[in-house]
Amino acid sequence: MINLIGKWKAAEMIDFNAEKGTMDWAKVEDILAKDDLDKDTRFMANMVYVFGEDGTITMLTPLPEGVSQAEVDAAVKAGQLELRDGMMFMGEQHWKVEDGKNMTDTGLEGELLGEKVGPWEEVKEIDENTIQIMLFRLKKV
């Protein structure tokens, strides 16, 4: 079982393949190189996930390009922005170890596409430095 404690960054994401008309895994650098990339996808691709010993996953993202320090300071002072490790705090989720497996809280519960889903999902281990959580493959940094 991989030790999740520490910082992880997206290495691959599920992305729409226009040539095939399918959703496929794509390298984050290829996604970020797209000219028509929307703001939300750029945020997700640059996200850093910090797994804490206390069972939290802190989600951080770099400040947008072109934002001045004065704008950042004003947003922090107004309570519109929280900084952690020099990055924008985007929220927290939770993780736990259950039955010898790393699990993350998906925030989903109920029924999805006719199947019952619970809030906890197993973290898939791709290799010794890569995990998969939902639509993201993360590498330890």
Side-chain angles (χ1 to χ4, degrees):
M1 180 174 67
I2 288 180
N3 178 4
L4 296 180
I5 305 298
K7 290 183 181 180
W8 296 78
K9 197 165 167 54
E12 294 181 83
M13 294 171 50
I14 292 290
D15 190 45
F16 180 68
N17 182 327
E19 290 178 16
K20 297 180 186 175
T22 58
M23 299 298 285
D24 298 323
W25 287 105
K27 292 181 179 181
V28 165
E29 57 266 19
D30 294 339
I31 293 171
L32 290 171
K34 291 181 178 182
D35 292 331
D36 61 345
L37 189 64
D38 64 272
K39 182 178 86 170
D40 291 338
T41 302
R42 183 171 304 282
F43 264 60
M44 290 188 303
N46 283 309
M47 194 88 65
V48 173
Y49 301 82
V50 182
F51 285 76
E53 291 182 21
D54 62 354
T56 59
I57 306 170
T58 303
M59 296 171 289
L60 306 170
T61 192
L63 293 165
E65 292 181 25
V67 176
S68 71
Q69 188 62 48
E71 291 172 306
V72 170
D73 293 344
V76 169
K77 187 175 180 178
Q80 299 169 329
L81 175 66
E82 183 179 337
L83 293 178
R84 295 193 187 174
D85 292 331
M87 301 179 83
M88 291 189 308
F89 172 71
M90 302 302 291
E92 285 184 343
Q93 291 179 294
H94 296 92
W95 72 279
K96 66 180 179 178
V97 176
E98 185 176 281
D99 297 328
K101 298 175 185 174
N102 287 313
M103 308 289 285
T104 59
D105 184 355
T106 64
L108 303 173
E109 191 165 14
E111 194 171 305
L112 181 65
L113 301 174
E115 300 221 6
K116 186 175 179 164
V117 294
W120 293 96
E121 176 181 66
E122 183 178 354
V123 175
K124 293 177 181 72
E125 297 180 12
I126 304 303
D127 61 38
E128 64 275 357
N129 294 314
T130 310
I131 59 174
Q132 181 177 319
I133 300 174
M134 299 179 76
L135 306 175
F136 301 92
R137 287 188 176 155
L138 309 175
K139 289 232 182 249
K140 204 163 203 178
V141 293

